[in-house]
Amino acid sequence: MDTTVPKFAIRSENGPIGAEITGLDLAIPLDDATFDEIESALYRHAVVVIRDCLQTPPQLASFSRRFGTPQINVRAEATNAETPEVFWISNITKDGQPVGSHDAGRYWHSDLCYLDAPSKVTLLNAIEVPTRDGMVFGDTRFAAATAAYDALSDDLKRRLEGLRAANGYRYMWNKKAHEFGLRPVLSEEELERYPPDALHPILRTHPVTGQKCLFVCEGYTHRIEGLEASESDELLRTLFEHLAKPEFLYRHKWQVGDLLMWDNCAVQHKATSDFELPLRRLMQRCTIEGTVPF
Ligand code: SIN
């Protein structure tokens, strides 16, 4: 369904998630009514792109603040020195050092789900997008956690009701280190500088829309409280596979200047690493603190 408003247009994608905003100039300060339209489009469509919106780090941080309190990522070496709310994601190396995180988003996840109050909204702005012969690489895929919940059998919903699962940054760190080799494997002691696990309900209620969402992340969720390890592993595997079913997916094909925003309760996301240097990808990201999941 197309909704046209005087200042800009919102066009939704076919499927459970995704919409595009065109004709919006973020260089002009946004009045509250316009911002409210953007925010409600985000909660309606879960993933929304504003086109042609290349931001400087301070501009990105400033727009992000309209949604709430920006989070400062625990991986300090990947944040922007002057504007630490901005986190760099790239495959580029400068003066022998990686520019930002080289292996961000490689698993299905919801941003900062390892914290007691995970991100509610993420804003990701494309500065360089890998292209060759007219083909674009490095898409970001999204899974509708709401539709995934709705499609669970009644039996499975009953089994999951009230269960909580551990979401671990430390678990993710070494999983990525072993699988991709783009970060060092850390000892238990070294991992202690990062946050401990956060326990979250597997079936989460969206704090704004009230919709139920499936909230387990392949990249971070590693144990269901109160279950034997084998039962927990099997159930998590079933849920990860369920979330990634094609009927729940939306694939964002990037253009330089895209400012993509997503609702981390309603969707999970995963980067596509189908390119390498000399193709370059440079993105800047802000995440906004959410509420404690219930
Ligand atoms: C992320 O996981 O926040 C980044 C996704 C991407 O780079 O496509």
Side-chain angles (χ1 to χ4, degrees):
M1 189 186 77
D2 284 8
T3 316
T4 308
V5 294
K7 298 185 207 72
F8 57 90
I10 302 174
R11 187 179 60 79
S12 64
E13 300 292 332
N14 292 324
I17 46 178
E20 178 190 54
I21 295 180
T22 49
L24 181 68
D25 185 358
L26 284 194
I28 300 168
L30 287 186
D31 56 47
D32 288 347
T34 306
F35 178 75
D36 288 350
E37 293 227 36
I38 296 171
E39 195 176 34
S40 56
L42 180 60
Y43 288 125
R44 207 161 53 246
H45 301 291
V47 183
V48 174
V49 62
I50 306 178
R51 300 285 189 190
D52 305 314
C53 196
L54 206 49
Q55 303 276 282
T56 62
Q59 284 171 334
L60 178 63
S62 161
F63 178 61
S64 299
R65 262 182 233 115
R66 299 292 295 261
F67 291 91
T69 307
Q71 296 166 301
I72 300 192
N73 199 276
V74 291
R75 202 169 180 196
E77 70 275 18
T79 60
N80 187 57
E82 295 79 30
T83 316
E85 307 93 308
V86 170
F87 182 79
W88 296 104
I89 295 171
S90 187
N91 66 332
I92 302 169
T93 300
K94 195 173 169 206
D95 303 327
Q97 294 300 317
V99 173
S101 172
H102 276 202
D103 60 4
R106 296 270 182 116
Y107 302 112
W108 285 106
H109 68 289
S110 176
D111 281 326
L112 280 56
C113 63
Y114 51 84
L115 297 181
D116 289 338
S119 315
K120 64 172 179 179
V121 174
T122 298
L123 300 97
L124 188 63
N125 191 209
I127 299 170
E128 292 187 59
V129 173
T131 53
R132 191 180 53 224
D133 301 331
M135 295 209 340
V136 179
F137 301 91
D139 300 351
T140 307
R141 287 160 287 166
F142 291 88
T146 43
Y149 168 83
D150 291 342
L152 291 172
S153 68
D154 289 343
D155 272 358
L156 197 46
K157 282 181 187 158
R158 267 193 296 276
R159 187 170 168 209
L160 294 171
E161 198 58 60
L163 287 182
R164 298 192 305 171
N167 296 272
Y169 188 89
R170 300 172 188 181
Y171 165 79
M172 172 282 296
W173 184 284
N174 275 350
K175 182 175 154 91
K176 275 189 180 166
H178 287 297
E179 196 169 334
F180 307 120
L182 294 171
R183 55 176 77 203
V185 175
L186 297 182
S187 66
E188 289 297 315
E189 214 167 58
E190 289 168 315
L191 286 171
E192 277 175 17
R193 78 176 88 120
Y194 295 118
D197 286 356
L199 276 173
H200 293 309
I202 292 177
L203 303 181
R204 183 178 174 188
T205 304
H206 195 288
V208 176
T209 66
Q211 287 173 294
K212 286 277 196 183
C213 306
L214 183 56
F215 196 64
V216 286
C217 304
E218 180 195 25
Y220 294 86
T221 314
H222 60 100
R223 186 175 48 79
I224 300 177
E225 189 184 37
L227 300 193
E228 291 295 328
S230 58
E231 193 188 352
S232 165
D233 288 350
E234 194 188 321
L235 187 49
L236 286 175
R237 216 173 11 254
T238 303
L239 297 176
F240 298 152
E241 282 171 15
H242 176 74
L243 256 166
K245 284 182 182 159
E247 59 267 38
F248 309 138
L249 301 191
Y250 163 69
R251 190 173 183 114
H252 184 72
K253 212 155 248 319
W254 289 95
Q255 297 175 18
V256 170
D258 279 357
L259 177 54
L260 189 68
M261 303 169 286
W262 62 85
D263 170 344
N264 278 292
C265 183
V267 295
Q268 301 213 3
H269 60 286
K270 182 176 180 172
T272 310
S273 38
D274 56 355
F275 62 96
E276 53 188 35
L277 291 171
L279 301 190
R280 291 162 57 106
R281 187 174 190 263
L282 178 62
M283 322 287 276
Q284 52 179 342
R285 187 184 84 176
C286 265
T287 58
I288 307 301
E289 188 177 42
T291 50
V292 174
F294 59 90

